[in-house]
Amino acid sequence: MHWDDLRIFLAVARDGSISGAAKRLNIQHSTVSRRIRLLETQLGTRLIERKKSGYELTPAGDELRMAAGKMELEVLEVEGALGGQEDRVAGELRVSAINNMASSVLMPIFAGFSEAYPDIRLHVQVSNKYVSLAERHADIAIRLTNTPLDTLVGTRLATVASAVYGERRYLEGLRASGARPLWIGVECCAFHQSWTHAACPEHRHSFFVDDTLLTLAAVKQGLGLAYLPCFMGDSAEELERFRQPDPIHDLGLWLLYHPDLRRTKRVRVFREHMLARIRDQSALFEGRLPQPSGLVSAGP
C-alpha cells in the first residue's frame, strides 16, 4: 500500500463521496475511483459500498480508516518537524475562510501572498461551517469566534465590529416619516440570528436570507435593516449605519492551524503575512472609519 492511496481513501471516507474527495484533493474524479479500486484489489476486500445516501464504509473500510488516520497523524508530525528545515518556502497550503471575507476584504491579501511566494500553491476554500484541521480538511482556518478550540494553535488577527445598516434612501424615509423600521430575517450564523432576534423580538420579517452576502445585497435593495460586519457595511457606498457598533457584538478574527504544523515555514510565512496586512486595515475591521453625518442612532 502507498500512503497516497490511503490519503485518497481517507478523503472519500470523510467526505462520503468520490466527487467531494476529488474536489478536496484537486484531482480527477476518475483518478479517485481508480485508486480506490486498486486499493481494494491489493487488500482483497471491499472498502466502500455505494448507497442511496452516498458511499458508506464496509467493516474492513472502517478498520482501514482508523489505521490510516493514525498514519496520517504520524505524517503530520514528520511534516511539522521537517517543515521548519526547508531551504525554500514551497508546497501546498490549503486555507479555509468565511465566504463573505474570502470574496471581499481578504482576497487582495491572499493575492499579495501568492505574488510574494509564487512557489506556494495556495488553495482557498470557502466554508462557513466547522472544518477539521486534524483530519486535514485544510491546513489553516480563518474564523470569526470568541472561543477558538483549545486543541488548535491560534493567532488573533483582529477584532471585527458589527453595526446595524440600512440603504441610504430607506433611512432617509425613516427619518422623514418616523415609521417603524423593517428588519431582514437572517438564517445564517448564530451571531446575527441572536442579535436580530434581540433587536426585533416580534420577528416581523417578510424577507429572509441565509448568507451574509445575501444580507448585504438585501440591505442595498432597501428591504430593511440588518446587522453586518463593519468591513462589509462601511465598504458599501449605498449603506449607512442605523446604529453604531456595540462592543458586545465584537468578534475575534482568528487564524487557526494544527499544532503539528506550527514549525512549517509556509504556515509561518502565511501567518506573518496575514498579521501584517490585516494590521494595516485595523480601522476597517474595528469599525473606526469616518462616517457620514445624519445617522439614525436610535429606534427599535
Side-chain angles (χ1 to χ4, degrees):
M1 289 185 294
H2 298 284
W3 165 242
D4 203 42
D5 292 334
L6 294 176
R7 183 174 65 92
I8 292 174
F9 167 75
L10 275 175
V12 175
R14 289 164 176 165
D15 196 271
S17 72
I18 298 291
S19 58
K23 181 178 180 181
R24 179 186 300 178
L25 299 174
N26 196 29
I27 58 179
Q28 295 293 324
H29 182 284
S30 58
T31 301
V32 175
S33 297
R34 177 172 52 81
R35 298 288 280 275
I36 292 296
R37 289 196 302 269
L38 178 61
L39 188 58
E40 290 178 329
T41 300
Q42 291 173 336
L43 295 175
T45 185
R46 292 290 301 276
L47 300 172
I48 298 174
E49 291 182 343
R50 180 72 178 267
K51 303 286 187 179
K52 290 184 178 180
S53 57
Y55 287 89
E56 292 184 6
L57 297 181
T58 65
D62 197 49
E63 288 188 21
L64 182 62
R65 178 187 59 81
M66 291 187 290
K70 295 177 182 178
M71 292 176 63
E72 183 183 51
L73 290 177
E74 295 181 0
V75 171
L76 275 174
E77 291 178 1
V78 172
E79 286 183 354
L82 298 181
Q85 304 174 26
E86 298 166 334
D87 294 328
R88 65 188 183 97
V89 186
E92 289 193 344
L93 187 65
R94 290 172 294 168
V95 177
S96 173
I98 305 167
N99 188 20
N100 61 36
M101 303 189 82
S103 60
S104 58
V105 67
L106 293 185
M107 188 53 66
I109 301 177
F110 293 153
F113 177 82
S114 188
E115 292 174 3
Y117 298 96
D119 291 331
I120 293 181
R121 298 182 298 278
L122 181 62
H123 298 260
V124 178
Q125 307 167 355
V126 169
S127 174
N128 297 334
K129 299 179 180 179
Y130 170 76
V131 174
S132 176
L133 300 182
E135 295 184 350
R136 298 304 298 273
H137 291 174
D139 300 310
I140 293 173
I142 299 176
R143 289 291 182 266
L144 282 172
T145 179
N146 287 331
T147 56
L149 294 176
D150 294 336
T151 56
L152 301 176
V153 176
T155 299
R156 187 179 177 117
L157 299 173
T159 295
V160 176
S162 294
V164 180
Y165 290 87
E167 193 269 334
R168 184 171 290 109
R169 289 173 299 178
Y170 176 75
L171 294 184
E172 290 175 354
L174 284 183
R175 298 186 190 109
S177 66
R180 192 179 184 86
L182 297 175
W183 284 80
I184 296 171
V186 293
E187 299 172 336
C188 52
C189 68
F191 300 119
H192 288 175
Q193 280 185 310
S194 62
W195 301 345
T196 303
H197 288 170
C200 184
E202 66 273 22
H203 309 314
R204 294 187 306 110
H205 309 301
S206 60
F207 192 87
F208 294 82
V209 291
D210 66 352
D211 183 88
T212 314
L213 289 174
L214 292 176
T215 304
L216 175 63
V219 176
K220 287 182 177 180
Q221 293 298 315
L223 292 174
L225 306 178
Y227 280 95
L228 287 170
C230 290
F231 71 82
M232 295 180 70
D234 291 345
S235 298
E237 295 181 356
E238 306 95 322
L239 306 189
E240 288 183 5
R241 292 180 182 177
F242 179 77
R243 291 179 185 169
Q244 296 285 19
D246 189 327
I248 66 173
H249 298 145
D250 287 352
L251 296 171
L253 179 62
W254 287 84
L255 186 149
L256 305 168
Y257 50 94
H258 196 276
D260 291 337
L261 298 179
R262 71 168 71 232
R263 289 178 290 180
T264 304
K265 279 188 178 180
R266 58 185 180 274
V267 171
R268 295 208 317 266
V269 297
F270 183 81
R271 180 193 64 195
E272 292 164 4
H273 177 86
M274 295 298 296
L275 274 170
R277 298 300 179 271
I278 288 181
R279 189 182 301 118
D280 293 340
Q281 300 188 58
S282 59
L284 174 63
F285 285 101
E286 295 171 6
R288 294 187 285 105
L289 291 181
Q291 297 296 306
S293 59
L295 295 176
V296 180
S297 59

